[in-house]
Amino acid sequence: MSHAHVSNTGRIWKVFWLLSAITIVEVFFGIYKPQALFLTDFLSMNLLNWLFIILTLVKAYYIGLLCIWKEKRQLCDGWL
Amino acid sequence: MGSTVTTAQSEGRTWDGGNEPLGASYGKLMMWFFIVSDALTFSGFLAAYGFSRFKFIETWPIADEVFTHFPFAHGVELPMYYVALMTFILIFSSVTMVLAVDAGHQMKQGKVALYMFLTIIGGLVFVGSQAWEWKNFIKGEYGAIETKGGSILQFVNKEGERVKLEDFAIKMPNQKEQLTRSGGDWFLETAPVANFSVAEVKAGFDANPNILVRTEIINTPATIKDAQGLNENKELNGIKQKFVLSRAESVKRMETANMVVEGANLRHNEYGSKLFADFFFFITGFHGFHVFSGVIINIIIFFNILIGTYQKRGSYEMVEKVGLYWHFVDLVWVFVFTFFYLV
C-alpha cells in the first residue's frame, strides 16, 4: 500500500456526479414508468425493476469504491 | 495516546503483534467486522421484506401512491421527489465524508473540521426528512375502510381519482369520545378514535352515488381471472392498477365495513397490506437509527478534531473509521430506496 498522500478530490467529485446522475435516471423512470418496460416481463420480473436493481448495484459499487479507495488504492487505479 | 494507532513494523515477525492484515489497522478491521455483521442484519430485513411482499404481491401498496408529499407543496401529488432529495443529501454527505478523510491524510485540520461539519449537517437533514416522511405516513392522506375480512377499501370518484373520507362522509352527532388518561383513571386509555365513524362514512357513501370503492388488489393476468363486479368503465381498471368496482359491487362491499382507518400504525394502515407499514417502520426506522448514531459519533469526532486530538496523534484514522461506517449507512439507504420506493 502506497502512502503517497495524493489528493483524490477530483475523482471523488466525479463519483459524486455519477451517483447523482444514476439517481436522477432512477427517479425519472420511477415517475414515468415507461409502459414498454413496465409491462414486459423477463425471468418473471418486469424490465423496469431489472433496470432499477442493476442501477442500484452500480451505485453500490461506486459507494464501495468511495469507501475502499483509501484502503486499497491500487484497486481503483485505472477505473476512473 | 500514540498507542491507539498501530504502525506495522513486523516484517518477518508475523505473530509478534502489530500486524495489519489486508493493510487495515486493528481499529479499522474491527469496524469492517461490525459492518459485515450489520450488512447481514440488513440483508435479513430486506430478504424478509421481499418474501412478505411476494406473498402478498397482489395486494401490496403502490409506493408512488403512498409517498407523494413534498414540503410546502400541499395537495400536489409529487411521487418520489422527496425521497430522491433525501438520497442526494445522503450521497452528498458521503462525499463530504470522503473529502474529510482525504483532508485528514494531508493533515489539514481546518479542512477536516469543515468537511466533518458538512457531513453532520447532511446527516441531520436526512434524519429530519425521515421524521417528516414518517409523520406523513402515520397521519395518512385519504383514509380508508377496513372490512371484517381485514382488507382495505379506498374511495375514488367516477374519474378514478382518490377521494378523502372528509370530502363525502356525513358528520353525525358524535357517539364515541376518546378516553384519555386525564379524563378518567390514569391507567385507562382508548386507542385514538378516527375522525369519522363507520356509520358516518356509510351515510356519506350512500348519499353520493358517484363514490366508488377501490380494492387493494392489483390488476394482473393472475388476478383479473377471478375479479368480480369491476367497474363498467374499462379505463378505470388499467393494468397493474388497483381494481375499481362498479357502484353496485361497491355498495355490496361496504356492507362488510368494520372500521375506519386513517394513516398507519403497526396494526392497521390505509394503504393496503398490513405488513407494508410494519416493514416500512421497521426497516426505515432501523436505518434512521443508524444515521442518528452516525451523527452522534460524527459530532464527538468533530469536537476531537477541533481540539486537535488527532493533529497531536499524528493521524486522522478515527475519521477514516467513522467514514467507513458512514459509507455503509449510505449504501444501505441505496438499497432501501430501491426496494421501498422504486421497485
Side-chain angles (χ1 to χ4, degrees), chain A residues 51-76:
Chain A
L51 178 75
F52 287 144
I53 289 168
I54 291 166
L55 288 179
T56 300
L57 292 176
V58 174
K59 260 161 89 173
Y61 170 78
Y62 280 103
I63 291 171
L65 199 63
L66 276 183
C67 182
I68 297 178
W69 219 303
K70 293 289 178 180
E71 302 294 298
K72 285 272 174 207
R73 171 98 47 75
Q74 58 271 37
L75 277 179
C76 315

Side-chain angles (χ1 to χ4, degrees), chain A residues 1 5-9 12-13 15-16 19-21 23-24 26-27 29-33 38-39 41 45-46 49 52-53 56-57 59-61 63-64 66-73, chain B residues 22-24 28 32 35 53-54 62 64 79-81 84 87-88 91-92 94-96 98-99 101-102 105-106 111 115 239-240 320 323-324 327-328 330-331 334-335 337-339 342-343:
Chain A
M1 189 167 137
H5 295 313
V6 195
S7 180
N8 280 311
T9 321
I12 292 166
W13 283 109
V15 172
F16 170 71
L19 290 172
S20 302
T23 308
I24 289 171
E26 282 180 338
V27 170
F29 277 103
I31 288 170
Y32 290 100
K33 287 193 176 172
F38 190 46
L39 301 180
D41 280 5
M45 190 166 69
N46 67 62
N49 284 1
F52 287 144
I53 289 168
T56 300
L57 292 176
K59 260 161 89 173
Y61 170 78
I63 291 171
L66 276 183
C67 182
I68 297 178
W69 219 303
K70 293 289 178 180
E71 302 294 298
K72 285 272 174 207
R73 171 98 47 75
Chain B
L22 302 174
K28 259 199 221 167
W32 276 113
I35 286 173
R53 182 169 172 168
F54 271 108
I62 298 168
D64 286 5
M80 249 159 16
Y81 289 101
T87 309
F88 283 126
I91 291 176
F92 188 76
S94 219
V95 167
T96 53
V98 202
L99 292 172
V101 172
D102 197 67
H105 277 257
Q106 298 160 48
K111 261 188 159 179
Y115 286 130
I239 295 168
K240 295 202 178 177
E320 289 180 45
L324 293 179
H327 294 312
F328 168 70
D330 185 20
L331 182 70
V334 165
F335 282 91
F337 174 64
T338 300
F339 292 113
L342 290 176
V343 168

Side-chain angles (χ1 to χ4, degrees), chain B residues 203-319:
Chain B
F205 176 78
D206 291 338
N208 283 291
N210 288 332
I211 304 283
L212 302 168
V213 161
R214 195 175 83 145
T215 68
E216 54 183 350
I217 298 170
I218 297 173
N219 182 356
T220 60
T223 54
I224 192 99
K225 280 183 293 187
D226 307 320
Q228 282 176 349
L230 295 188
N231 200 281
E232 304 78 19
N233 184 356
K234 290 260 187 289
E235 282 173 25
L236 292 184
N237 283 311
I239 295 168
K240 295 202 178 177
Q241 309 258 313
K242 308 250 169 180
F243 283 129
V244 175
L245 304 176
S246 67
R247 175 69 190 179
E249 183 72 15
S250 299
V251 172
K252 224 167 102 192
R253 294 287 172 94
M254 276 301 279
E255 281 163 20
T256 63
N258 183 40
M259 64 179 286
V260 175
V261 186
E262 287 171 316
N265 55 44
L266 288 171
R267 291 201 189 92
H268 307 281
N269 74 77
E270 64 168 59
Y271 309 108
S273 180
K274 292 177 174 60
L275 280 174
F276 174 72
D278 296 346
F279 276 109
F280 177 78
F281 287 130
F282 198 59
I283 296 181
T284 63
F286 200 64
H287 177 265
F289 177 65
H290 274 75
V291 179
F292 177 75
S293 325
V295 168
I296 300 293
I297 299 166
N298 280 347
I299 288 173
I300 294 168
I301 290 175
F302 174 66
F303 281 112
N304 269 321
I305 295 166
L306 286 189
I307 61 175
T309 307
Y310 309 125
Q311 199 73 22
K312 280 180 230 155
R313 196 179 280 174
S315 160
Y316 279 92
E317 197 188 88
M318 197 58 85
V319 178

Side-chain angles (χ1 to χ4, degrees), chain B residues 160-185:
Chain B
E161 291 155 358
R162 295 287 298 279
V163 180
K164 293 182 186 186
L165 292 186
E166 63 192 52
D167 292 340
F168 69 92
I170 294 171
K171 260 292 179 204
M172 296 178 184
N174 206 356
Q175 312 97 322
K176 203 176 176 187
E177 201 178 325
Q178 186 175 351
L179 175 63
T180 55
R181 288 185 180 192
S182 57
D185 292 315

